[in-house]
Structures are given as structure tokens and as C-alpha cells.
Amino acid sequence: MGHGVPELVLELNGRTWTLDPSRPYTLGRDPGGDIVLDDARVSWRHATISWGGRSWVIEDHGSTNGTFVQGQRIHQMEIGPGSSVHLGNSTDGPKVSVQGSAQAAAVATPPQQHAQQAPPQHQQQAAWPQQQAPQQQPPQQAWNQQPPAQKVPQQQGGPAGAPPVYGDRSPTTFHQVALGRVMRIGRALENELVVSDLQVSRHHAEFHATPDGRFEIRDLGSHNGTYVNGQPIAKGGSQLLGPNDIVGVGHSTFRLVGDRLEEFVDTGDVSFSARHLTVTVDGGKQILKDVSFGVPEKSLIAVIGPSGSGKSTLLKALTGYRPANQGDVLYDNRNLYKQFAELRQRIGLVPQDDILHKELTVKKALKYAAKLRFPADTSEQEREQRIDEVLRELKLDIHKEKKVTSLSGGQRKRVSVALELLTKPSLIFLDEPTSGLDPGMDRDVMQLLRGLSDDGRTVLVVTHSVAELALCDKLLVMAPGGSVAYFGPPEEALNFFGYETWADVFSAFENYRDYDWAGRWKGSQHYQMYAADIDAVAPQSVQMPPPAAVRPPKPQPWGSQLITLIRRYCSVIASDKGFIGLMVILPAVLGLVSVVIPADFGLAPPKPPSRFNGDAGTIMLIIAVGMCFSAAANSVRELIKERVIYERERATGLSRSAYLMSKVIVLGVITAIQGIIICGIGFAPRDLPAEGLLMPPAVELCISIIALGFTSMMFGLVISSLVKTSEKTMPLLVMFAIVQVVFTGVLFQIYGTLGLEQFAWLMPSRWAIGAAGATLDLAHLMPPWDQQKPNDLDPLWEHSVGQWGINLTILIALGVVCGFAVARLLRRHEPEVMRK
């Protein structure tokens, strides 16, 4: 101690620390701090104590639940002998007592050591069944496992880790609402109530007082919607408000109390809990069994477990993608499933696969994502500013002009996280973010998540990696069959299971799959401390209206989304030189294949001088099948390779029809260009008939081939929406092309064969060859059909304008039907609560 500086000794839970005035001391949950408190109400870096030159000073560092002296919340205050400080709660929070003598601390822990208690040691089981090595045995209920030294104190109004009652959270701001006065809410400065949130429109909504003294909320055509109790009100519509109704606008919620409007801004300080989640699949098998846990705000939670333990199912249940059959998910004590339309904007999800187009640069990928997620009235400058903020936060600004595909695995994961951070979510879920990364990148990603949590977000990560679990606040261990085997501090988990390594724990899970891991957990002291009181706090009670016909609003109008999606898709294609080359070379090669067919190879003499004679059917067959294959190849991978991106963007408000239409338009243009190439090369050396039915024969034939390409492209999209992996598309593509060869009607007679003819009506090539046959009068040109009687001729080849139009119309109609089928199949890859 420096000369003249009074000694200061802190006492907490029977332990003492002597403070050296030469440096400050940090208090909080951070294991790397000086005085570590494992209490859910204490922030990661809660406060510091330091010598201020005149006296000792304690300073709160913006903690979530506050620092209290004599019942009053303080920011900075002098302390001395006899003082006592409560952290996290003014009455029963951890109490730090200040003493004036260091005598009691003569043998105390040096200041640089942590205050955290060592994890308790279990008593070794005396006998192991079947005389096998201990690490191969499941822990038994009979173990006399000692609980940690102190039970974590409970939050006011509920258990540790459980969400507080919504009404107990102090409002961010109060506003006075007078009768006859209109309070307009929006992002623009001229509003009476300005909300600085890019999720909010410039003029979003307004509160009105009705003549009878009641209040209503009126939407002003907002892009992301106005919500009452989590349900959207009609765009431009209004709704009367009751005393308990909650109005949601972006990240803010409002509640009327008398004539006072209380505003609650969601800055990330939200709790989250799962209550009795059970998922049952076909046959009544439960793949998730009574999963309950609760976490406070600004926490990092890891979920681990062996394969088949339901981790992915749990993640889908927690995010609303696949709601549990039983149980509730509470976001700040609000039911996520019932209020998903509003709360989805506050949840970020980073799947295992990247949720961005790897061909784009980092900046451009985020630019398109911001364009789709922010309201249409957001300026380019506002979007750019938010993108730059996120890039700086995640240290990606130096990589912003690099293509995503050129980044390392850890950097790509950062870009996926950056995309989700654009809308400032309070709750972020990540599925296997460290999968495939080396240990160094694994640590970098987990430290990134720790930083995200410290900055005011709740982060839940599903992972196979156990190397960096110490960075987490809580650990959820899933057992085989989908039940909870442990929930609590990660440093106590191995001791709870009675093993020294996680490899031993996972081996026990595998060797004893029928063991009642959930029963052992529920009978433990840890369960009493961390999960037993999960139901102590009642969920927020609001009157939920019946399911409305109002669909959740989209941040961008349909047309604006379509233009953005088309521009993004064109950017992706333009950056993929290999695809562009293949797009041109494939139809050119297939067109050249048709040219090698001899000019006069028919069994019948040619008609008046024309080299497009008896071989016309064979030539058209090659061109048509080449167009089928080329067009279907363009689209057969498009939906499956973007499935993860579509699932995530759909949850944030992407229009399904706009997404599908962007694919149809861009691929349709590409297909038309390919049709012109293949027809130009295939027909160039041929002498076509002098006249067509409506237009020159070359134009009519080209239209038929392009229409065939369009329908084949739509069949490719159907295949892409059906398969589960890209590898399965190629066999189906080859099968589709071969089937088209058989059912053209050129190789053998199709018409007049019952069953076969009707099945051929489903084949695009049948109608395309029919349209070409009508133009060329193929029935009187190609042997042996040119020798048939008139009644035996293929009716689809009739040389008339009417038949040509029918063939073309049915061909295009098949493509349209495929479009509706694709739209229907895309619904399978959307959050279940969004399906209509």
C-alpha cells in the first residue's frame, strides 16, 4: 500500500480481498476480471473500484441491473470502511462489504486472483457395474454430488435466468397524450415522437384520442408494420387500444397508462426462456422432450450434445422456424409463437451454411441485404452508414471490397453475422458457426460471440466444439433423445457428470443411450438452482385476437423487392465467369450437333427443292432436346443452392412470389438468348420453307424452341425445389432430357396409342415439336408418316395457324403450372408460423 493511503478490504460471501491503490479492480461475471461473481443479475463487467486520489471510488459501467448503495442506484460514489454495495438488486443482490483493516485478509487471495469459487468435487462412486472402467459408466442418482457453495440468488419477481415481468421493466421515456392531440411516430425529425430506428418508416403511425376518451393507433402505410399485441394491423388501418395493449413499432413498444404513453426501447436488454418444449414427429416419436431453460439479458449460451440429441430441432423451435408441439418460447416474457410477426424483426439467425452469395463482395452482399430488410423510404446514405457501422464493429472494414469466396472460414462467418446485425437484433442464434474451422478460428469466432453478448445482445450458439465453452455464461447439454442433461455454468458441467473430459461424457451418452439423463438432471441440486423455478413468472397476459387475414407486412413493396432481387441475381451471374461461358458454349455445341446430320437422309424423296426434307424431324428432335437440356441445366441448381438464403430472407419479410419471379425473369432472358443461339446455328445451313403460318418459318421455329426452353427451365426449378442436395439434381436432369427424347413423337408414333398419348401431353417436347411440325407441315414431309392417310396423321402436326397456336399455348401453360408448383414447394422452406 502507498504511504498514507487507507487500507481497503472487501468482503463477499466469506472471502476477503485487500485492494492495492496502484490499480483498479473489476467486478462482474467475466472470468478474466479481478472479483468474479457468478450471479445472473450481475453484468459481465459490472463495476470497478479504484483509488481516486482522495478516496476509494466505485463506478458502475452501465450494468443492466445496476449498483446500489443504501437502496439507491448509483453511477459513481465514494466508499469507505463500513460501506456496503449491492450488485444487481438493491435488496438481495450480492453484497460487497467494505472494511477498514487488512488484518482479516492477511492470508487472503492476492488481488490478481479471481474470486470465483473452485468447482465442487464429487465423491467417487464406490462400485461400478459390470467391473468396467469408471469413464465408461453413466453417473448414478446415488452419487452424493455437492452443490456449489452458494445458490444463485433469484431475480426480483422470478427465478435466476427467468424473464422478468414485462411491466416491471422501467419505461425508457414517458409522453403525455392530451385529448384532441395527435402523436405521430416515425424516423423523421418532424414527428412528435421520433424513433431513431431504421426498421421504422419516416412517418410510421400515430396515436389518436377518440371523442369518448379512448385511444387508437393508426398505421400510416408503414413498411415494416404497426403491431398490437404482436399482431399486425392492416396497412393504413387503425385499432382501438385497451389498458393492457402493447403497440409495437420497430424495436420500440408503447403502452398507454391513463393519459401517459410509456415507451420501452429494446436495446438488447431482454431475457429469453424456453418452457417445456416438446416436438413430436410422425408416428408419435418425441425428438425433443420437455426442454426448459431461461437466460437473462446479455448472455452467451452454448448448446452441445451428441448427434441425435435434438440440437437442430431445438434451434428451429426456439426461432419459430418449426414451433414445438407443446410448450412456449418467451422473448422478454412475450410469447414468440403468438407474436412472431413482430418479434421476428428482433431475432437474428446465422445458419451453419453461409447466408450470402459468395460471388459478391462483402460490401455488395450487405448492400443488397440492407436494401431488402430496411423500409423503402430508407435513404442510400442511411443504409451505407449502417453497413459501415457493422463492418467496423466486426473488423471487416478492411475486407469490404473482397469477394466473400476469397475470405477465410472465420471471416465468412463474420460476414454472415454482419448481415444479421444490420437490423440490430437483440437475440442472435447461431448453428455450428465453428464447424470446419481450425482451433484458432474457433477461438476467434467464440470471442466474437462473447463480444456481441457484452455489447448488449443475448447470443445462443449450437456447437460441437467444446474448447471455448469457458467464454459462455451458461451451458445447455442435450442428451440422446432430445432431453436436457445439464443446464448451468460451463465450469461446473464436467464435475456434474463426474468425468474429466467431454470425450468421456459423450462416450457415456453413446454407451448408455437408454439411461435417464433427464431424470438425473431433474433430481440434482443444479436443477434446483438453475431451472426448477422456470415457471415462477407468469407470461405477459394480453388479449390475443383471432388469427387475422392481415399478412405480416413486407419492408419493401413487391415491385421494389423484385427489382432488388433481379439486380442481385444479375450481379451474382456477372461475377461468375464460368457460368456465363457455359451459358453460351452449351447451346452453341448442341446447335452444332444438329448441323452434322446429312441434308438428305430420308427414306422418301425430298419435296420440291429443299434440303430441309425428310431429315427435318430428326433435326428438330436434336434442337428441341438440346434446348430442353440447356434450359433445365440453367435452373436445376438455382433454388437448392440458395435454400438457406431464401429461408432466412423469407423470415425477414421477403416475398415468395417476388423471389420466384426474379428467377423466372433472369433465367427466362438467358434461356431466350440460348434459344436464339441454338436456332441460329441449327437453321443457318438449312433451306427452310418459303412461308410460315404467321411469320417467317425461322421466327416461328425459334419461338417454339424458346417457349420449350421456358417450360424446361420451369421444370428445372421444380426439380430444384424438390431435392434436398445439389448432388441429386444431375441424375434428375439427365432423366428429364431422355424422357423428352422418347415422347416427342418423332422416334415412333405417339398419337392413337391409348395411355401413351395422354401421358405425352405432360411432356414439353411433345408440344414444341408439334408447333414446329405445324410450321413445317412435318406430317407430309417426314417418312413414314408422309405416306399415311389423312385421318392417320398426327393431329398436333396439322399445318394450320390454329393448331400452331394451341401447341404453343399448352406449352407455355405447362410452364405456368410448374411455376405455381414451385411456389407451393417453396413454402416447405419457410418458418412454419408464417405459412398461410
Side-chain angles (χ1 to χ4, degrees), residues 18 56 133 187 409 442:
T18 304
W56 288 93
R187 207 171 69 246
D442 182 352

Side-chain angles (χ1 to χ4, degrees), residues 289-292 476-479 482-487 517-519 521:
K289 301 177 182 178
D290 194 26
V291 174
S292 296
L476 177 67
V477 182
M478 300 294 293
S483 57
V484 177
Y486 172 82
F487 177 71
W517 297 100
W521 157 242

